[in-house]
Amino acid sequence: MKKWTKLGAVISAALLVSAMAAGCGSETAPTEESKVEETSSAAQVSSADWDDIAAKGKMTVGITYFEPMNYIDKDTNELTGFETEFAQAVCEKLGVEADFQKIEWESKEVELNAKTIDCIWNGMTITDERKENMDISVPYMENKQVMVVKKDNLEKYQTAEDMKGAKVVAEKKSAGEEVAQSDEFFAEADYLSVDSQAKTLLEVKSGTADVAIIDYVMSIGSLGEGSDYSDLVVVDGKDFAPEQYGIAFRKNSPATLEKVNAAIQELADEGKLQEIAEKYHLEDLLLVKPANEATNSDADATSEAAASEEA
């Protein structure tokens, strides 16, 4: 009886080892059928966003109001601005309508992932963190952060020492806020956040804040003679955080991204993008150039390099 018991134990152990080996083999070597299913599933996910947009016949564009990007024209009471016309031109290329939805900037990614909007198209700074969380278009415009003060205070805020105790305001979750909270120049200032860039200018104008940190492009469209903020000015020589703008879509939306990037390049090639930028005095900040212009620039650079080597 003892011999039979030992033999049975050996056989059972052998069967168990065989079963475990078979199980491991199935995990490390998926069948061709399972591979096809996984590839098909990934393709369906990547094209889902564009399929949804095409089915609706419109792209819901998340924006906030700030000149000269997206704002309400006082004469017509209609939405206008560089980003507004840019989005409309791209959507026309794609055969869909641009449907603009005002959002709170600090909630932009929540709105995007909840699918209440299809994209964020509002002078959005491209960062490494945002590239990890969203799909972002080609950079189309450069920007920087600037200080805005009352004309009477222009000489008052020139150094980090001057900023001690000054009330500094920026839009919450914006590049301006990042500068206010991390740049040593503002280390001794008192920081206040508001929910839009437009409100930062109101705070300075009313005297409840001393310095606003805003996008340079906003200063172009919002300040100067004849504007509501003719008594405010940009502090020369105080530029921060050079950056680039991009359009953000939900993560894993390559089909949408490819179509939008192609439409942007078409608009640049046709001169339409330049035309829209010139209307809002932003042409010098454009990054997307006509393909032939870019080719010529590369050729010129190559020629200059060759000439330098010969010399």
Side-chain angles (χ1 to χ4, degrees):
M1 287 294 295
K2 288 182 180 180
K3 288 184 180 179
W4 280 108
T5 301
K6 290 181 181 180
L7 180 59
V10 170
I11 293 173
S12 297
L15 289 173
L16 179 59
V17 170
S18 177
M20 290 175 64
C24 291
S26 65
E27 289 181 5
T28 57
T31 65
E32 288 301 316
E33 184 178 342
S34 66
K35 289 180 181 179
V36 170
E37 288 177 356
E38 288 176 7
T39 302
S40 175
S41 177
Q44 289 174 3
V45 170
S46 68
S47 64
D49 266 14
W50 175 250
D51 290 344
D52 289 345
I53 292 168
K56 291 186 300 181
K58 64 182 181 180
M59 181 182 291
T60 304
V61 180
I63 64 169
T64 64
Y65 292 166
F66 74 102
E67 294 186 49
M69 308 309 265
N70 299 295
Y71 63 98
I72 302 297
D73 186 279
K74 292 179 180 177
D75 296 326
T76 65
N77 202 36
E78 293 182 355
L79 182 66
T80 189
F82 171 78
E83 299 282 42
T84 305
E85 293 196 36
F86 183 22
Q88 289 170 333
V90 167
C91 286
E92 184 178 353
K93 288 278 185 188
L94 301 181
V96 296
E97 177 189 352
D99 177 35
F100 297 96
Q101 176 71 47
K102 188 179 179 185
I103 60 173
E104 295 295 332
W105 190 244
E106 63 182 290
S107 303
K108 55 189 176 296
E109 291 187 43
V110 174
E111 299 276 8
L112 185 64
N113 291 324
K115 294 194 173 185
T116 54
I117 58 175
D118 296 313
C119 64
I120 303 165
W121 202 324
N122 194 73
M124 192 199 75
T125 302
I126 299 173
T127 67
D128 289 339
E129 181 180 357
R130 286 173 178 167
K131 286 192 288 187
E132 288 181 4
N133 297 329
M134 299 178 283
D135 281 356
I136 300 179
S137 72
V138 293
Y140 60 86
M141 184 168 284
E142 59 185 353
N143 183 48
K144 56 188 175 184
Q145 298 300 303
V146 295
M147 290 172 53
V148 175
V149 299
K150 283 187 175 181
K151 282 183 180 179
D152 295 342
N153 291 334
L154 185 56
E155 300 303 321
K156 186 176 180 180
Y157 299 109
Q158 295 288 328
T159 68
E161 183 65 23
D162 295 337
M163 297 306 301
K164 188 173 183 179
K167 296 177 181 177
V168 175
V169 63
E171 181 182 40
K172 193 171 185 179
K173 298 285 187 180
S174 69
E177 180 173 75
E178 178 68 21
V179 169
Q181 294 181 327
S182 63
D183 197 287
E184 284 299 315
F185 189 85
F186 301 101
E188 298 298 319
D190 296 328
Y191 175 64
L192 168 71
S193 68
V194 292
D195 60 15
S196 72
Q197 289 197 79
K199 286 186 179 179
T200 68
L201 299 182
L202 285 172
E203 295 284 345
V204 175
K205 185 178 179 67
S206 67
T208 53
D210 301 308
V211 179
I213 306 176
I214 65 170
D215 287 7
Y216 173 61
V217 298
M218 184 180 184
S219 72
I220 293 174
S222 301
L223 308 183
E225 295 303 322
S227 72
D228 292 338
Y229 303 103
S230 57
D231 56 334
L232 305 185
V233 293
V234 172
V235 180
D236 289 337
K238 295 296 179 287
D239 305 337
F240 305 89
E243 59 198 28
Q244 297 178 334
Y245 285 163
I247 308 154
F249 299 89
R250 275 179 287 279
K251 197 67 177 175
N252 298 320
S253 303
T256 307
L257 200 62
E258 182 180 359
K259 290 175 183 295
V260 169
N261 284 340
I264 292 173
Q265 188 59 58
E266 285 181 28
L267 290 172
D269 294 344
E270 296 166 0
K272 181 65 175 178
L273 185 56
Q274 178 81 5
E275 178 186 321
I276 298 172
E278 287 175 355
K279 181 176 177 180
Y280 298 97
H281 312 292
L282 300 172
E283 64 275 13
D284 292 339
L285 302 178
L286 278 181
L287 294 173
V288 183
K289 307 295 183 183
N292 60 347
E293 184 179 320
T295 301
N296 292 337
S297 297
D298 291 342
D300 291 342
T302 302
S303 298
E304 289 176 7
S308 177
E309 289 179 3
E310 290 176 2

